[in-house]
Amino acid sequence: MGRWLWMLGGLIVWTIHFMGVYAIASLADVVSRADDLTWRMIALAFSAACLLAALALTVVAARRVRRAAAAEAPEGFGDQLALLGGGVSALAIAWQALPTLIGY
């Protein structure tokens, strides 16, 4: 189970981000307005935390891929998949945070 969590870690962070931003926007819409500055900053802080988590996973996976390539280890596929998932999720989280950042 640990290998699956490692390989899908970035995508799990992306999923948590998507659900969290949706929940924050829904709650903001019920309490006041979804484009209120306070709620936008809450969503932006949550996006920043998720982006940092995805980037941390990406950096750790990149180091493991580099180390496995130097040692010519055959078990590098899981690390490569973690690197790909972390990179894609970091890009997607940044893309999804743009409307919050610019105010739309």
Side-chain angles (χ1 to χ4, degrees):
M1 190 65 154
R3 286 185 188 201
W4 281 103
L5 288 175
W6 168 244
M7 290 188 295
L8 298 175
L11 300 177
I12 291 169
V13 171
W14 182 16
T15 302
I16 290 169
H17 174 262
F18 184 81
M19 291 186 327
V21 169
Y22 187 84
I24 290 168
S26 297
L27 184 62
D29 200 31
V30 169
V31 172
S32 62
R33 290 180 32 200
D35 61 347
D36 189 29
L37 182 63
T38 304
W39 289 102
R40 283 180 41 213
M41 291 302 113
I42 291 170
L44 197 58
F46 181 72
S47 294
C50 289
L51 182 61
L52 287 176
L55 288 174
L57 283 169
T58 304
V59 167
V60 170
R63 288 181 179 168
R64 289 178 67 167
V65 165
R66 186 175 302 146
R67 193 175 327 127
E72 297 178 8
E75 62 270 353
F77 177 71
D79 296 332
Q80 291 173 353
L81 196 58
L83 177 61
L84 177 66
V88 167
S89 67
L91 183 65
I93 289 169
W95 183 260
Q96 288 174 341
L98 279 178
T100 305
L101 187 63
I102 62 175
Y104 290 105

